[in-house]
């Protein structure tokens, strides 16, 4: 769950925590912040005597930690993240600054100094906004500190040494951890507890509120733009603010990367932490849905033009070089590349454009995890079907791509292959997760219904040495299955059997599998099919269902922010079923011990065993 008015301000930024402290990581991730961790190499050796107060030392150290990381990341990739957060916690007692003890004796000295007294814990925090101008790193630093008073009980020598021997003090300022065993030493705390643990979350949120809601001069409304896929000319425009990542005060006025969510102009500044929002929210999800097709088309077009292949092999490249490689106009290519960068598919630096890791892995046409075939299928037949959706609705036709509409025997070889390429990519990507979501070793024979190219079957036999797997699919599909390869060794334990699920008898097996097949089927067809299978199952036989779970369902399951009902970007067939619904259906069909699992963050996998009649 993410509190949008506060942590949400950083949602579309690349945020780095410049700290090795597991406590800071936990505090910030518990707050819903997404970030990378790059521990700082800055040596905490500033001359303490040169600071007027202990907190000034903590703030300066925090700042140097964050700047070192920003600088290092910029040097490495010529691209710093949008925001780097640094922090430093110290304990101050009687004019002395205590950091982490260097050894047990040092811990003993620190803890005896704190025994029976009040001391202050200061955490200095630096929020560094970065951007790159002409290859140079530009930073804007916001810094603050928080003070918490802690009172220790009188500590006996015995307790002190027991505590030191626990090992807990060694990586903690002042030699104690209030969140664990050290809590027993503490009589009271005045102020923010998390500040003692290592990060003043409340003050940090207030700081975000201040940074991202700086009041504008009266009468200067923020522009709302409607062409929501922005041209990105400079790296700084890739952050979520039109005005550039380095200017947080401007950050809430423009369009988010990806262009999906225009911010409302506000007449009154809004936020948690003391300031109230008097304006009703704008329908951001709705606008995002209206715009979504543009982002999809950009991705699909870049795939089709082989942009990700060119950059995978030769990136970084300039727009001119890419244009030459893909045989397209320079202006058009530059705009396409910029939008891809804005969508987070490409990285843009002074050296040119390069693939993100995701793009190389999934959008280039080669590689075991390529979804290029799926993109081509969406760009071709699926796009076509959805272009004529109004007609399909009026006529009551299925929302199915035209080439697949006429029935399998009429499919052209190219249409079948295109469908199979899409299915093959998705199967290869998910096979390992499906194969291992449950222990399937008790089964000796399995039948993958609609198993297409056999990608899952090959993974299953690789995973379970005693399993024989039959791939059952339409004759038109089985005929072409041999053209596809997987990373798994071809195996004699995989057999291909042609047939039609809805009319032919099913090959015998003690485990039947459906994978990513049922989500588009109308309920009555689904019920009919599953009860047929149930009828074919001997007692003790299994049925395994694996279906893509829409992101929204993931969010709901984790209690994260919900969209209004109906605003769903995936699952355009019938509303996707939850594992609970599949479980109830399987139980009704005579399956028992039905278990559900999530796999790969994207799949629901359900397994049931046929009960004796
Ligand atoms: C008082 C207290 C401190 N700490 C930890 O003490 C380290 C301070 O050291 P730092 O130099 O600020 O941070 P670091 O751990 O060296 O990490 P880095 O940011 O990489 O310098 C941080 O870990 C804090 O959580 C606790 O876990 N509990 C407590 O009650």
């Amino acid at each position: 769950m993410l509190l949008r008015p506060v942590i949400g301000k950083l949602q579309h930024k690349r945020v780095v925590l410049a700290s090795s402290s597991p406590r800071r990581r936990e505090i910030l991730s518990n707050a819903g912040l997404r970030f990378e961790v790059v521990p700082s190499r800055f040596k905490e050796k500033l001359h303490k005597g040169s600071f007027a107060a202990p907190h000034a030392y903590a703030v300066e150290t925090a700042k140097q930690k964050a700047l070192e990381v920003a600088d290092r990341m910029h040097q490495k990739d010529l691209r710093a993240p949008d925001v780097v957060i640094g922090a430093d916690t110290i304990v101050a007692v009687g004019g002395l600054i205590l950091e982490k003890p260097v050894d047990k004796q040092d811990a003993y000295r620190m803890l005896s100094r704190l025994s029976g007294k009040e001391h202050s814990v200061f955490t200095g925090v630096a929020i560094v906004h970065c951007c790159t101008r002409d290859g140079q790193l530009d930073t804007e630093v916001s810094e603050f500190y928080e003070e918490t008073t802690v009172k220790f009980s009188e500590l006996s020598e015995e307790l002190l040494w027991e505590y030191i021997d626990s090992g807990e003090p060694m990586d903690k300022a002042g030699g104690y951890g209030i969140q664990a065993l050290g809590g027993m030493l503490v009589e009271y705390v005045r102020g923010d507890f998390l500040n003692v643990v290592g990060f003043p979350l409340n003050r940090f949120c207030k700081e975000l509120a201040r940074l991202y809601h700086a009041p504008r001069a009266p009468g200067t409304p923020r522009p709302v733009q409607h062409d929501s896929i922005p041209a990105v000319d400079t790296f700084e425009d890739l952050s979520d603010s039109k005005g550039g990542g380095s200017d947080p005060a401007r950050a809430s006025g423009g369009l988010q990367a990806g262009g999906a969510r225009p911010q409302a102009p506000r007449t009154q500044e809004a936020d948690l932490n003391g300031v109230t929002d008097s304006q009703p929210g704008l329908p951001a999800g709705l606008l995002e849905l209206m715009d979504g097709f543009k982002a999809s088309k950009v991705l699909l077009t870049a795939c089709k033009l082989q942009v990700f292949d060119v950059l995978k092999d030769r990136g970084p490249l300039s727009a001119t070089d890419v244009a030459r490689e893909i045989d397209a106009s320079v202006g058009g290519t530059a705009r396409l590349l910029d939008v891809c960068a804005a969508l987070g598919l490409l990285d843009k630096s002074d050296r040119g454009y390069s693939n993100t890791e995701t793009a190389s892995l999934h959008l280039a046409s080669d590689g075991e995890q390529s979804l290029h075939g799926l993109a081509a299928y969406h760009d071709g037949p699926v796009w076509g079907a959805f272009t004529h959706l109004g007609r399909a609705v009026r006529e009551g036709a299925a929302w199915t791509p035209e080439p697949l509409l006429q029935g399998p025997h009429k499919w052209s070889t190219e249409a079948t292959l295109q469908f199979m390429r899409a299915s093959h990519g998705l199967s290869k990507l998910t096979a390992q997760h499906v194969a291992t979501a449950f222990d399937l070793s008790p089964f000796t024979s399995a039948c993958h219904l609609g198993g297409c190219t056999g990608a899952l079957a090959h993974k299953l036999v690789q995973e379970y040495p005693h399993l024989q797997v039959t791939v059952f699919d339409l004759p038109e599909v089985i005929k072409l299955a041999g053209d596809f390869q997987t990373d798994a060794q071809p195996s004699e334990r995989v057999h291909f059997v042609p047939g039609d699920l809805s009319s032919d008898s099913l090959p015998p097996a003690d485990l039947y599998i459906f994978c990513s097949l049922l989500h588009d089927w109308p309920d009555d067809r689904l019920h009919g099919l599953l009860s047929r299978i149930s009828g074919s199952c001997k007692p003790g036989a299994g049925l395994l269902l694996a279906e893509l779970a829409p992101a929204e369902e993931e969010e709901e399951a984790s209690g994260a922010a919900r969209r209004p009902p109906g605003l769903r970007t995936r699952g355009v067939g019938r509303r996707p079923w939850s594992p609970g619904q599949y479980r109830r259906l399987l139980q009704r069909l005579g399956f028992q011990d039905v278990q559900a699992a999530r796999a790969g963050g994207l799949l629901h996998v359900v397994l049931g065993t046929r009960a004796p009649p």
Side-chain angles (χ1 to χ4, degrees), residues 19-21 23-24 44 65 89 100 173 178-179 196-197:
S19 173
S20 59
S21 167
R23 278 73 58 179
R24 289 189 188 121
E44 299 173 34
K65 285 182 185 179
T89 303
K100 288 163 290 189
I178 197 167
Q179 68 277 19
V196 184
V197 180

Side-chain angles (χ1 to χ4, degrees), residues 517-538:
L517 195 69
L518 305 175
H519 57 281
D520 278 340
W521 287 30
D523 287 357
D524 49 346
R525 231 185 124 197
L526 179 70
H527 281 245
L529 181 68
L530 292 180
S531 48
R532 231 164 80 71
I533 293 168
S534 168
S536 316
C537 281
K538 295 197 196 83

Side-chain angles (χ1 to χ4, degrees), residues 18-24 27 39-40 42 44 61 65 86-91 99-100 119 121 123 171-179 193 195-199:
S19 173
S20 59
S21 167
R23 278 73 58 179
R24 289 189 188 121
I27 291 169
S40 181
F42 176 75
E44 299 173 34
T61 306
K65 285 182 185 179
D88 190 65
T89 303
I90 56 164
V91 165
E99 296 181 279
K100 288 163 290 189
H119 63 267
V121 180
T123 298
D171 62 343
K172 304 192 176 67
Y176 72 96
I178 197 167
Q179 68 277 19
F193 180 84
N195 183 50
V196 184
V197 180
F199 198 81

Side-chain angles (χ1 to χ4, degrees), residues 105-126:
Q105 280 304 331
D106 200 21
Y108 175 77
R109 277 191 294 275
M110 288 183 181
L111 290 166
S112 357
R113 206 164 251 135
L114 302 178
S115 174
K117 288 207 281 285
E118 268 190 2
H119 63 267
S120 289
V121 180
F122 293 99
T123 298
V125 176

Side-chain angles (χ1 to χ4, degrees), residues 295-366:
S296 296
K297 195 63 182 171
V298 165
L299 183 154
L300 301 177
T301 303
C303 271
K304 187 177 184 172
L305 294 175
Q306 311 272 333
V307 165
F308 304 108
D309 291 280
V310 167
L311 290 174
K312 183 177 176 184
D313 297 336
R314 272 154 284 167
L317 288 179
S318 68
T320 313
D321 290 339
V322 177
R324 190 181 321 111
E325 293 289 334
I326 65 172
D327 197 17
S329 74
V330 175
T333 304
R335 180 147 172 86
L336 180 71
L337 296 176
D338 281 339
V339 179
C340 285
L343 290 172
L345 305 172
L346 294 179
D347 285 325
K348 184 180 180 180
S349 72
D350 288 353
R351 287 179 298 152
Y353 300 88
S354 45
N355 278 354
T356 56
E357 205 180 318
T358 308
S360 280
L361 212 55
H362 302 304
L363 300 178
S365 58
D366 59 347

